[in-house]
Amino acid sequence: MKRILKDNRQIQSVARALDILEVLAKAPGELGLNEVALMTGLNVSTCHHIVQTLLTRGYVSQAQRGQGYALGSRVLELSSFSARQRSLVDITMPELKRLNKVAGENVHLAVMQGTDLVVLAELDSTKVVRVVTGGISYASAAHATALGKAILAWLPEQEVFRLLDQKGQTKFTENTITNRHDLIEALRHIRRFGVAEDEQEFLPGVMSVGAALRDYSGTVLGSLGCTFPQDRGDKDHLQTLKFAVKESAASLAEKFGRTHSQRGIRRRE
């Protein structure tokens, strides 16, 4: 098979790895190394090195007798993860819109992707003065945001330690919690009261509240929360937002199969 000419801006090794994955995806069965090399236009030695790398990472699997190759389980895992994320957005969006209307503030839906905090959906406040977060990365801010801390609070402590070992506790503002012991204590407080707060810990002049989304088994699916200017963070508004966020999390808990006793809150009529 003749290889298609590549754009000069592409990274050659990445393009070759993707060529191999595409060939294996289209194959009716397992392919030998020589077949993969022929169909991708690679020499056998180069093809072997790339296949071995993909094999080590789980993107390629090898037949028991070591003769043929096929797509690995990691490809399916990523596809499944992507589908679950789309499903989570679809399930939560009506409640996110309701919360956005009730709270009048920015509303976010977030998940952990590996060690990165990722915002999947965001609805802007309709108020003239509002927080603008477009283009801001939350990847390393799980410890400094209500969205992130709401998730961390319900993870096993060893998992939290592993995440902190890899990501650290970047000091974004003077209020960021950079001490591990202090963060663990904050997470315990969140578990007790069911809501996380961020008082200018990630962005100066910005506050947020958040609550975890968990399924019937207690597994954390993600979190939702409101972000708002510090000038609107008076005691009454803060309490209103805390209740609204916990209420939305409780409402979604029903969709995820959690019981009333697990939810711990009931919506006001």
Side-chain angles (χ1 to χ4, degrees), residues 113-212:
Q113 290 184 355
T115 58
D116 292 346
L117 179 66
V118 177
V119 173
L120 297 183
E122 177 180 359
L123 301 176
D124 289 337
S125 168
T126 57
K127 296 180 180 180
V128 175
V129 179
R130 61 181 185 271
V131 177
V132 178
T133 58
I136 295 177
S137 172
Y138 289 76
S140 298
H143 66 290
T145 58
L147 289 169
K149 289 187 287 185
I151 296 174
L152 296 182
W154 297 101
L155 295 179
E157 197 166 83
Q158 290 304 313
E159 179 66 14
V160 175
F161 290 157
R162 184 189 68 81
L163 186 149
L164 295 177
D165 286 340
Q166 293 189 36
K167 302 294 286 191
Q169 290 174 251
T170 301
K171 184 175 182 178
F172 295 102
T173 73
E174 290 300 317
N175 291 351
T176 304
I177 301 175
T178 57
N179 179 276
R180 180 173 297 195
H181 174 75
D182 291 343
L183 179 61
I184 295 302
E185 286 300 311
L187 298 182
R188 289 173 181 164
H189 186 274
I190 293 167
R191 287 196 298 275
R192 179 180 178 185
F193 293 98
V195 62
E197 298 181 54
D198 156 19
E199 299 184 12
Q200 304 185 72
E201 295 169 41
F202 180 47
L203 297 171
V206 176
M207 298 176 64
S208 63
V209 295

Side-chain angles (χ1 to χ4, degrees), residues 1-3 16 19 23 35-43:
M1 177 184 293
K2 184 177 181 180
R3 294 179 64 206
R16 288 172 170 177
D19 284 344
V23 163
E35 292 177 291
V36 176
L38 178 63
M39 296 175 72
T40 55
L42 298 171
N43 66 59

